[in-house]
Amino acid sequence: MAHAKNTENTAGKPVNKFDKLSADTPVLPSLSSLMEVELSVDEASSVRVILTKKLPYSYWWAEYDVDLAQLYFVTVDAQIQGLGMKIHKPFVENLTNAKEVSLLLANKKTEKLVGMPYVIPLVVRKNTLQDI
């Protein structure tokens, strides 16, 4: 995984963990455009993202935007990387109640999980379209 280089966005403003990011925050290609990904959310609000390649960045936290039905990851370098898939209605309630996301690497050939999960806190953003 990549390591932190800075914690400022392109406007030069410091980024504090869990702060709402500014409109000029750099956006990276989505995870689903880089590899196969699968989202799993259960009734206990346990959220898992299963990946087929190692993560390209280190993340501080994940954000679920209720209005946009999207899951994003905030890197330690203050960049945004989306999951790249819409969150469908059956996941909404449990995802809204979740507190963390586990990122898991799966071996595509054996279909088994590899190593320990990478667990990051989850922030749920509601009513973000009102900000526009």
Side-chain angles (χ1 to χ4, degrees):
M1 277 186 236
H3 295 286
K5 293 179 184 170
N6 70 44
T7 57
E8 294 186 357
N9 60 23
T10 56
K13 299 173 189 168
V15 176
N16 297 313
K17 195 169 185 180
F18 305 128
D19 278 352
K20 187 168 182 180
L21 300 172
S22 66
D24 64 347
T25 301
V27 178
L28 301 165
S30 71
L31 280 174
S32 67
S33 72
L34 302 174
M35 67 186 80
E36 292 179 50
V37 296
E38 191 70 38
L39 175 66
S40 168
V41 183
D42 65 20
E43 292 177 358
S45 297
S46 178
V47 181
R48 290 168 301 282
V49 176
I50 301 168
L51 313 159
T52 56
K53 294 182 181 177
K54 289 185 179 183
L55 288 171
Y57 301 95
S58 294
Y59 302 120
W60 261 10
W61 73 92
E63 292 193 6
Y64 170 52
D65 188 308
V66 174
D67 291 333
L68 299 176
Q70 294 289 323
L71 182 64
Y72 301 95
F73 303 95
V74 179
T75 73
V76 295
D77 289 331
Q79 300 171 338
I80 298 173
Q81 185 167 43
L83 179 61
M85 59 178 61
K86 183 176 179 171
I87 307 301
H88 297 286
K89 286 188 180 188
F91 291 166
V92 171
E93 183 179 347
N94 294 329
L95 190 54
T96 302
N97 294 324
K99 303 291 184 223
E100 60 188 25
V101 175
S102 296
L103 297 140
L104 303 146
L105 180 62
N107 182 310
K108 207 169 161 183
K109 290 181 183 177
T110 65
E111 297 182 354
K112 296 194 185 271
L113 298 177
V114 179
M116 299 296 292
Y118 180 39
V119 181
I120 55 175
L122 175 65
V123 174
V124 176
R125 303 275 185 210
K126 299 177 182 177
N127 304 315
T128 56
L129 292 178
Q130 293 178 0
D131 295 341
I132 298 174

